[in-house]
Amino acid sequence: MAAEGGGKEMNEIKTQFTTREGVYKLLTHSEYSRPNRVPFNSQGSNPVKVSFVNVNDQSGNGDRICFNVGRELYFYIYKGVRKAADLSKPIDKRIYKGTQPTCHDFNPLTATAESVSLLVGFSAGQVQLIDPIKKETSKLFNEERLIDKSRVTCVRWVPGSESLFLVAHSSGSMYLYNVENTCGTTAPHYQLLKQGENYAVHTCKSKSARNPLLRWTVGEGALNEFAFSPDGKFLACASQDGFLRVFGFDAAELHGTMKSYFGGLLCVCWSPDGRYIVAGGEDDLVTVWSFSDCRVIARGHGHKSWVSVVAFDHCTTSVEDGDPPAEFSGSDEEFHEQINFGAGRDRANSAHSRLSKRNSTDSRPVSVTYRFGSVGQDTQLCLWDLTEDILFPHLPLSRTRTHTNVMSATSPPATGQTTTTTTTTTTTNTTTTSTVSTTNPSGTNGKDNASNSSTSGNPANSLPGTLPRSNSLPHSSAPTGGSTPNSHTGSNSSSTKGNSIIDSAFIATGVSKFATLSLHDSRKERHEKDHKRNHSMGHISSKSSDKLNQLSSSRTAKTEVAKTLGTTLCPRMEDVPLLEPLVCKKIAHERLTVLIFLEDCLVTACQEGFVCTWARPGKVGLLSSQNNPANSPSGTVV
């Protein structure tokens, strides 16, 4: 992933970046790839994905990494910031014929130093269960492709289970499997179990136990990614039809929905405490959705092309004692129920344990900052802070084009409205967003687009006089058709929501199986053409449905955009705060496909097959003995 010399500075690869907590540095000796380190020719191949597991090794080096590159699958000891990677000794390597691995997932419950359970999904629809330590292949599911013939887009073990796993396909269907059951020699017959707004759940009719246990059909087009909530009770699904749908998993009840600004949603993740969901996709935005309120609370604009991965950083998310929020729109009961939501969940992080204990009798509520990141096809990494001014809106502000005035605190918002103000302090650490690589991946704009991104640290309680370039822009009114927050307790496994997702006429048409995500030339060229014309939010008037409709590829999509834009499903751009990234750096030559936050580092990967480790501030010294300046790649230090 070394930068090529002689290129323009704006197209050079960054090898470190700075945030308020310090400097993140690329560890060139901790790069994982194919043993020959030759960049992979990624044309027409499936995205490179990375999975981690800890096997509780007595030596203290229990991390294991799995990644796919083209037809190949590798399994290594992951040494992270401690030691340099030894690519000559993979624990396991597999090369597949006729199909390519597309995604994979370890089961953390069953992992030991002698055995791990790894699920691998494939482009032809099969799912394999392998043990790369024992080098065994125990089972192959959907082997005859009788269950689903389309590409596997996402595979996950069901949290807390040693045998159940969920598989999503580009057909728009998800299937629940049990590793103990066989798949049968004939196509499964299904019986309707539950049907709702543009989704249905079927059980498999069989005299004996067989896979799949359940079939979910969700939305229209491919189901690109799903993610379980931290407590395992809810399931968030990002679909090609642009909808985020959140279900109570056990009861198969729809909890809430959100619509992208335009295009499909490609990725989704939960905050560590389960309160917020972030989704990204073909609108180049990251969208933050409140689980308890079932509404969009912010959007982030920093990418110049499709957002491929979003992830929360559980280590940087902070909880501190602070002043109470100035205003909460709605009743005290709603406020306390929102704050107490999920208080019974097990927390992996002590900060979130403190967050869950916040209640109505606490006179000193906590101050919260969530950190999340995103990577995209524009080869850029963005880091974002979701701060208290967004999470707990204050009184409304007047909005102008040139600057933001501090609120005059004269008129409280009407009941039921939710308004947002910003309290952001911009530090001196201002950088210029790098333009995209000259090698354009699908949907990447090749023009120089020098938009400035302010790197900021946000003390939650500071109120500057003016905010000429704030990290979030306020709005003056609530979204039309204001939402009523749905308040739930952590014990609820199902919920109902009054808002209709889409017209009943669409439900009657059933679930279409038209779209896959394999990038055929015609689809690729069409999206690239449209995307270059409308690559930036600056080119899109949020009040113009005509321009939005140009980006829709079907009559159905046009109708949905017209119906949802300006509603709580998809607020207009001026109706919600617009975040700017703390960091926005070009870190690869090819589109980025992986972003994972670990305790000592963050891990990224690009389509060329290079898996890179970025040491957190203060952690880089652990590898100092391995750093040899003569072997470091050329790159720009910023």
Side-chain angles (χ1 to χ4, degrees):
M1 210 192 75
E4 298 170 0
K8 293 181 179 179
E9 182 180 353
M10 63 185 64
N11 279 329
E12 287 182 347
I13 305 300
K14 309 303 180 187
T15 57
Q16 68 181 47
F17 55 86
T18 304
T19 64
R20 67 169 184 272
E21 60 268 16
V23 180
Y24 289 75
K25 294 185 178 181
L26 176 66
L27 302 180
T28 56
H29 291 267
S30 293
E31 182 179 88
Y32 288 79
S33 66
R34 297 191 296 174
N36 58 12
R37 291 190 182 271
V38 174
F40 176 67
N41 182 5
S42 60
Q43 295 300 320
S45 65
N46 290 286
V48 173
K49 298 288 186 181
V50 173
S51 296
F52 284 99
V53 69
N54 190 290
V55 299
N56 300 314
D57 193 351
Q58 297 299 322
S59 66
N61 191 16
D63 289 329
R64 302 292 182 265
I65 184 173
C66 171
F67 58 92
N68 60 290
V69 182
R71 297 185 299 121
E72 303 162 13
L73 187 74
Y74 292 95
F75 181 71
Y76 281 96
I77 294 176
Y78 180 71
K79 300 178 181 178
V81 300
R82 294 179 298 275
K83 292 183 179 180
D86 185 359
L87 299 184
S88 65
K89 299 176 181 177
I91 300 175
D92 195 15
K93 172 188 175 181
R94 297 172 185 236
I95 302 177
Y96 296 94
K97 295 180 180 178
T99 185
Q100 293 185 2
T102 58
C103 50
H104 30 82
D105 190 43
F106 288 104
N107 192 329
L109 295 180
T110 60
T112 66
E114 293 77 34
S115 174
V116 293
S117 297
L118 176 66
L119 291 168
V120 184
F122 291 91
S123 55
Q126 302 94 334
V127 178
Q128 193 177 44
L129 175 63
I130 65 177
D131 187 331
I133 295 180
K134 293 182 177 179
K135 296 182 171 55
E136 293 177 355
T137 301
S138 57
K139 287 192 176 181
L140 184 61
F141 302 93
N142 193 29
E143 182 175 7
E144 303 299 326
R145 305 171 70 210
L146 298 172
I147 297 172
D148 200 306
K149 292 182 169 59
S150 65
R151 184 173 60 93
V152 176
T153 56
C154 187
V155 60
R156 292 278 186 272
W157 291 96
V158 174
S161 174
E162 296 185 2
S163 57
L164 297 178
F165 62 94
L166 194 62
V167 181
H169 289 257
S170 58
S171 63
S173 295
M174 284 189 302
Y175 302 90
L176 181 66
Y177 288 82
N178 188 324
V179 294
E180 308 298 333
N181 296 352
T182 62
C183 288
T185 56
T186 59
H189 295 279
Y190 297 103
Q191 181 175 354
L192 182 65
L193 177 67
K194 182 163 290 189
Q195 190 167 11
E197 296 169 313
N198 219 21
Y199 81 97
V201 182
H202 293 78
T203 58
C204 183
K205 292 172 60 178
S206 177
K207 294 181 179 179
S208 59
R210 65 162 286 179
N211 284 318
L213 304 179
L214 294 176
R215 180 186 73 178
W216 295 59
T217 49
V218 180
E220 304 208 5
L223 203 166
N224 291 324
E225 189 176 38
F226 64 82
F228 284 99
S229 62
D231 64 359
K233 294 180 179 179
F234 292 89
L235 184 70
C237 300
S239 297
Q240 190 61 34
D241 62 7
F243 279 92
L244 167 73
R245 296 175 176 88
V246 182
F247 298 94
F249 182 62
D250 291 337
E253 289 281 355
L254 184 65
H255 168 77
T257 59
M258 182 271 288
K259 175 71 171 61
S260 68
Y261 199 68
F262 62 80
L265 286 179
L266 304 178
C267 50
V268 63
C269 68
W270 292 78
S271 64
D273 57 5
R275 297 173 189 271
Y276 303 99
I277 296 173
V278 171
E282 296 175 359
D283 55 9
D284 304 1
L285 301 171
V286 292
T287 303
V288 185
W289 190 80
S290 168
F291 177 87
S292 58
D293 288 350
C294 292
R295 66 180 183 88
V296 175
I297 61 169
R299 291 189 177 105
H301 181 222
H303 287 284
K304 300 188 185 73
S305 188
W306 296 356
V307 180
S308 50
V309 183
V310 287
F312 273 88
D313 182 356
H314 59 282
C315 295
T316 309
T317 294
S318 63
V319 180
E320 300 172 354
D321 291 334
D323 296 331
E327 182 88 9
F328 177 82
S329 300
S331 68
D332 289 340
E333 291 178 357
E334 289 174 335
F335 177 73
H336 295 143
E337 284 180 23
Q338 178 188 3
I339 297 305
N340 280 318
F341 175 76
R345 297 178 181 176
D346 293 331
R347 298 285 187 250
N349 187 303
S350 60
H352 297 113
S353 298
R354 294 177 60 195
L355 184 63
S356 67
K357 292 175 184 175
R358 177 178 179 177
N359 57 46
S360 58
T361 61
D362 188 357
S363 60
R364 294 173 301 163
V366 291
S367 171
V368 192
T369 300
Y370 295 87
R371 166 70 56 80
F372 65 94
S374 57
V375 294
Q377 296 196 10
D378 57 358
T379 72
Q380 293 192 133
L381 163 70
C382 292
L383 295 181
W384 315 80
D385 266 0
L386 187 60
T387 50
E388 191 178 51
D389 51 292
I390 302 298
L391 304 176
F392 304 108
H394 297 256
L395 294 176
L397 293 181
S398 61
R399 179 173 182 170
T400 64
R401 290 180 177 273
T402 55
H403 65 276
T404 307
N405 291 319
V406 176
M407 58 185 175
S408 56
T410 54
S411 58
T415 302
Q417 284 186 327
T418 304
T419 52
T420 304
T421 168
T422 61
T423 58
T424 307
T425 303
T426 304
T427 67
T428 57
N429 194 5
T430 304
T431 59
T432 301
T433 304
S434 306
T435 57
V436 293
S437 167
T438 52
T439 306
N440 279 348
S442 171
T444 302
N445 168 47
K447 299 177 182 176
D448 291 345
N449 187 19
S451 59
N452 290 330
S453 64
S454 300
T455 306
S456 81
N458 296 353
N461 301 318
S462 62
L463 265 173
T466 58
L467 305 174
R469 285 293 284 169
S470 62
N471 266 13
S472 51
L473 301 178
H475 62 81
S476 56
S477 62
T480 52
S483 64
T484 302
N486 287 353
S487 299
H488 304 274
T489 61
S491 60
N492 286 351
S493 61
S494 64
S495 58
T496 58
K497 187 169 186 302
N499 292 345
S500 173
I501 304 177
I502 47 177
D503 190 279
S504 59
F506 288 108
I507 299 176
T509 62
V511 178
S512 169
K513 302 292 179 74
F514 65 86
T516 68
L517 269 190
S518 54
L519 291 175
H520 301 298
D521 288 341
S522 60
R523 176 187 172 91
K524 183 176 178 181
E525 290 169 3
R526 181 179 74 246
H527 276 295
E528 186 168 351
K529 181 179 178 182
D530 284 343
H531 199 272
K532 284 183 177 180
R533 188 185 306 121
N534 301 287
H535 73 281
S536 168
M537 300 313 300
H539 292 294
I540 299 168
S541 167
S542 57
K543 296 182 179 179
S544 169
S545 60
D546 294 338
K547 289 189 177 181
L548 283 173
N549 290 342
Q550 291 173 7
L551 301 170
S552 304
S553 57
S554 68
R555 194 170 297 172
T556 302
K558 290 180 182 179
T559 310
E560 287 183 357
V561 167
K563 286 187 176 184
T564 59
L565 183 62
T567 69
T568 53
L569 283 178
C570 181
R572 297 184 184 277
M573 291 302 293
E574 65 265 26
D575 288 338
V576 293
L578 188 63
L579 306 175
E580 289 189 358
L582 303 173
V583 171
C584 189
K585 301 295 181 187
K586 175 183 171 65
I587 61 169
H589 285 302
E590 271 291 340
R591 63 187 185 272
L592 293 162
T593 57
V594 170
L595 174 62
I596 299 172
F597 290 96
L598 301 177
E599 186 176 350
D600 293 331
C601 58
L602 60 91
V603 176
T604 62
C606 69
Q607 194 55 27
E608 286 184 314
F610 296 111
V611 181
C612 298
T613 298
W614 300 77
R616 290 185 185 270
K619 304 293 185 180
V620 69
L622 299 175
L623 198 61
S624 58
S625 61
Q626 301 290 338
N627 288 339
N628 182 354
N631 294 331
S632 63
S634 59
T636 307
V637 177
V638 290

